[in-house]
Amino acid sequence: MENEKAVVVFSGGQDSTTCLYWAIKHFKEVEAVTFNYNQRHRLEIEVAESIARELMIKHTILDMSLLNQLAPNALTRDNIQIEQKDGELPTTFVDGRNLLFLSFAAILAKQSGARHIITGVCETDFSGYPDCRDVFIKSLNVTLNLAMDYQFVIHTPLMWLNKAETWKLADQLGVLDYIRNKTLTCYNGIIADGCGTCPACLLRKKGLDEYLSMKEGIKA
Ligand code: ZN
């Protein structure tokens, strides 16, 4: 893969930033694509922009505001609470989001001569989002290849990792502190360690604590 070009679906969060570094390690040329779907926090786009600038990566921001128009959700509307009722998907789930994002990323990739698409979706610590599952990604990969008569390869380096293992991967890539301090995962739009109380912060912190204590245990 070293001689090839890749496009990373990039939000400026922990997972996709880890994927960006993973891609830089494995591919000759890497670019990033970020989707603007009127996230509650404009900061998300700014964080993505500043990381891409720092890494000197070509960065495309695509307007996907139609997603908010079609499927109002807690990530875009202040008046929708972030919550999960028993047996239901959380209100942060957006129907079709990864289907659309990956399809647009594929069009962009083909335009720029890239076959490889990297996304930070994960089955392990996730909230049951159907379009984060491995089977969906494999199915979409086939569909995209047929749709554009092109041999895309969708890579999901985090698919089987839990949050602690994602921190471990960041550490192995030598960027644990960078990811910890510069990325934005928090639903309340607070960079780095975040608000500490929203579901995204809790998941991120639990993983980090687990990884750091595991690492200390190995050292001791
Ligand atoms: Zn938070």
Side-chain angles (χ1 to χ4, degrees):
M1 303 193 293
E2 280 74 15
N3 290 318
E4 299 194 48
K5 189 169 173 179
V7 171
V8 179
V9 178
F10 181 54
S11 70
Q14 177 193 355
D15 292 349
S16 66
T17 308
T18 305
C19 285
L20 187 60
Y21 274 103
W22 181 88
I24 290 169
K25 187 176 173 210
H26 289 95
F27 294 92
K28 185 169 159 241
E29 202 182 332
V30 173
E31 55 178 273
V33 58
T34 298
F35 297 98
N36 184 356
Y37 54 101
N38 296 339
Q39 291 89 329
R40 271 196 206 185
H41 304 290
R42 165 74 203 163
L43 184 62
E44 219 177 274
I45 308 280
E46 287 166 18
V47 166
E49 274 177 324
S50 87
I51 293 173
R53 207 179 309 122
E54 251 180 51
L55 300 183
M56 291 185 290
I57 297 275
K58 185 183 170 202
H59 187 213
T60 307
I61 297 169
L62 293 180
D63 177 15
M64 294 286 287
S65 48
L66 81 169
L67 199 59
N68 185 30
Q69 189 185 352
L70 283 170
N73 65 88
L75 297 181
T76 55
R77 300 286 170 92
D78 284 333
N79 59 353
I80 301 177
Q81 288 294 316
I82 293 170
E83 58 188 355
Q84 178 162 21
K85 297 192 183 106
D86 276 349
E88 284 180 26
L89 285 164
T91 51
T92 48
F93 175 66
V94 185
D95 272 325
R97 182 167 58 160
N98 276 328
L99 170 67
L100 293 170
F101 285 7
L102 287 166
S103 299
F104 282 97
I107 296 168
L108 182 85
K110 190 177 174 189
Q111 292 290 328
S112 55
R115 287 200 307 126
H116 300 275
I117 300 164
I118 290 101
T119 168
V121 295
C122 152
E123 262 203 30
T124 314
D125 266 339
F126 81 151
S127 316
Y129 293 3
D131 58 356
C132 288
R133 293 188 189 124
D134 192 52
V135 65
F136 164 74
I137 298 293
K138 289 196 162 82
S139 156
L140 182 64
N141 201 149
V142 172
T143 298
L144 291 172
N145 293 4
L146 292 171
M148 291 180 238
D149 196 16
Y150 196 68
Q151 291 302 306
F152 292 108
V153 185
I154 305 180
H155 299 265
T156 54
L158 312 184
M159 182 58 79
W160 308 108
L161 306 186
N162 61 31
K163 269 285 179 279
E165 291 164 329
T166 300
W167 282 112
K168 182 179 177 191
L169 176 61
D171 203 11
Q172 286 165 343
L173 292 165
V175 293
L176 187 134
D177 287 338
Y178 186 95
I179 304 267
R180 185 170 178 184
N181 297 320
K182 303 246 177 158
T183 63
L184 171 67
T185 310
C186 174
Y187 287 144
N188 290 312
I190 300 167
I191 209 164
D193 288 341
C195 73
T197 53
C198 75
C201 281
L202 292 176
L203 189 64
R204 174 170 161 144
K205 182 174 184 326
K206 182 172 162 275
L208 183 63
D209 290 348
E210 260 171 47
Y211 174 61
L212 292 177
S213 63
M214 205 166 70
K215 201 176 161 185
E216 281 309 304
I218 292 165
K219 262 194 226 154

